[in-house]
Amino acid sequence: MTVTDVATEAPERPAHRDGNVLRWLSAYTASMIGDSVYYMALSWAAARSGSATQAGLVLAVGSIPRALLMLGGGVLADRIGPRRVVIGSDAARCLVVLGLAGALLFTSPAVWMLIAVALVFGVVDALFLPAVGALPPRITAAGQLARVQGLRGLAARTANVVGAPLGGVAVAAGGPRLAFAAAGVLFAVSLPLLLSLRISPLPAREAAEPAGTAWRDLADGLRYIRRHPVLGPLMLAIGLSELGFAGPTNLGLVLLVRERGWGASGMGWVVAAFGIGAGASALLLAVRGRVPRAGLVMCLTVLVGAAGIGALAYVPSVGLAATVAVSIGLFVGLGGSLCGALTQTIADPAYLGRVTSVSTLFTHAIAPLSYPVTGAAVAAWGTGPVFVTSAAVCASGVVAALAFTRLRRAELPR
């Protein structure tokens, strides 16, 4: 049986029962847990090895190559295939982190050493994130992509819940050296799973297209997005929604809790509530597999989530804040998963790495730029006006997207 024959039979199998998808999901989960353990170890080592300013530099320096190279990562994924990029990325993480763990057998972590590792990870993330987003359409049928997005969301939540405590235990038991070694082993676990994936080839007409220079490929991808009747509005919605959502739900939430005097436990309850809501949305999509009128539902759920962000700054108690946070996580999480599924089903497979790199650039590189703006604005005007303004920015993206008929009527494959 040929690879094409396997790809033809794949649509008959639900994603949660497809061994190919489950191998990808296991590899993705192991890699994400490894990420969480790595960042825990890096934070601890940085705090112990230098001043507060130096620790902040170590944690921030990885964002530079991530922002600069993200679009190039999408070009690379389209040129050589997303699986190769994901395998290479995880192999690089494994070697670098295990190498650092080995070096720490003979010396204590120095700031320069941690900065070098953080820079490498920033480069790897710039390659890994677009490729991992472009991989699902190559391992399952189009009708299963919404379910795959739900499974991916569950994997990410599992990594958040498991990774940080695991990293903490490793640091407590053997210091950063053991934690870095544990992260490296987790990256290594993903490699044989990724190597065993069956990958559907691109259609012959797309695979046979001659490749230009990397710059030409990038410009071609950006032009493709701009001219597309659905992807262009979708990227606009992603960009504005992330700019409005990132500040309040990260730095803004810390400042809100401090302003209200809810303490660390209150912060924990609200953050946990976000996670519960987002996990519920991922589970819903994983079980249901398809949502009718996905484009319209995506926009409406993000609008509800934006309203929740504006309301969060005015609730009087931790309990009500947690309730609002559950709804934000549920609706924004569902909207985000539908957005990912629509991107993967609508984009031409030959452009999917570049399309994914643009959406990932907004979520992982540009949106964090709102943090210093959020902090300065809260200091000047307080949490209420800032949360409402952020909610309006978030909502403006989907309101603009709703003006495009093709996006409103966009459907996921059956």
Side-chain angles (χ1 to χ4, degrees):
M1 182 180 294
T2 66
V3 175
T4 305
D5 293 332
V6 172
T8 302
E9 292 178 3
E12 303 298 327
R13 190 176 303 165
H16 62 286
R17 297 177 183 174
D18 187 342
N20 204 41
V21 173
L22 294 178
R23 285 192 293 275
W24 168 80
L25 186 67
S26 299
Y28 179 75
T29 303
S31 184
M32 291 297 99
I33 295 175
D35 258 353
S36 295
V37 174
Y38 158 76
Y39 281 112
M40 171 65 73
L42 186 70
S43 301
W44 184 268
R48 294 286 177 170
S49 302
S51 65
T53 300
Q54 289 174 323
L57 177 63
V58 169
L59 297 179
V61 73
S63 63
I64 298 172
R66 188 184 301 123
L68 294 177
L69 301 176
M70 185 74 72
L71 296 179
V75 172
L76 187 64
D78 285 336
R79 276 178 163 246
I80 69 172
R83 182 177 68 162
R84 291 180 181 178
V85 177
V86 171
I87 290 172
S89 299
D90 270 352
R93 298 182 206 220
C94 178
L95 293 174
V96 169
V97 175
L98 289 180
L100 178 58
L104 295 184
L105 289 171
F106 307 100
T107 183
S108 59
V111 171
W112 69 265
M113 187 186 302
L114 299 177
I115 288 176
V117 171
L119 283 171
V120 170
F121 257 72
V123 173
V124 171
D125 276 348
L127 304 179
F128 174 83
L129 292 170
V132 79
L135 193 53
R138 305 288 293 275
I139 61 173
T140 190
Q144 296 298 317
L145 288 175
R147 183 171 275 124
V148 168
Q149 286 299 306
L151 293 171
R152 182 181 175 183
L154 287 175
R157 295 298 159 188
T158 299
N160 290 338
V161 171
V162 174
L166 179 60
V169 170
V171 168
R177 178 176 61 245
L178 180 59
F180 283 126
V185 169
L186 285 163
F187 294 136
V189 166
S190 71
L191 293 175
L193 294 167
L194 292 168
L195 288 167
S196 67
L197 291 179
R198 302 187 310 273
I199 301 296
S200 300
L202 289 175
R205 63 177 179 83
E206 294 165 354
E209 288 180 357
T213 65
W215 283 110
R216 181 176 177 181
D217 284 356
L218 176 57
D220 188 36
L222 295 176
R223 187 164 51 249
Y224 169 75
I225 294 171
R226 179 173 57 84
R227 294 176 177 176
H228 198 283
V230 176
L231 292 175
L234 196 57
M235 294 302 116
L236 174 65
I238 292 172
L240 290 174
S241 298
E242 287 291 340
L243 282 174
F245 183 73
T249 54
N250 290 280
L251 177 62
L253 183 59
V254 175
L255 299 176
L256 174 65
V257 168
R258 186 179 69 182
E259 182 180 285
R260 297 296 176 84
W262 290 341
S265 62
M267 177 77 177
W269 281 110
V270 177
V271 171
F274 274 119
I276 290 171
S281 70
L283 180 61
L284 173 65
L285 201 56
V287 171
R288 185 174 178 86
R290 184 179 183 274
V291 175
R293 305 194 70 179
L296 179 61
V297 172
M298 179 205 74
C299 292
L300 294 180
T301 52
V302 175
L303 277 177
V304 174
I309 292 171
L312 188 62
Y314 295 96
V315 294
S317 66
V318 172
L320 286 175
T323 302
V324 173
V326 167
S327 69
I328 295 173
L330 177 64
F331 287 102
V332 174
L334 181 58
S337 295
L338 289 174
C339 181
L342 284 168
T343 299
Q344 291 177 342
T345 55
I346 291 171
D348 187 315
Y351 288 92
L352 188 53
R354 282 162 285 181
V355 173
T356 305
S357 72
V358 172
S359 63
T360 308
L361 181 68
F362 288 128
T363 56
H364 287 83
I366 294 180
L369 297 177
S370 64
Y371 296 165
V373 177
T374 299
V378 168
W381 299 298
T383 54
V386 172
F387 272 61
V388 170
T389 301
S390 297
V393 172
C394 184
S396 67
V398 290
V399 169
L402 284 169
F404 293 86
T405 305
R406 292 282 294 274
L407 178 56
R408 288 200 312 272
R409 296 179 177 175
E411 295 278 6
L412 294 172
R414 293 185 180 274

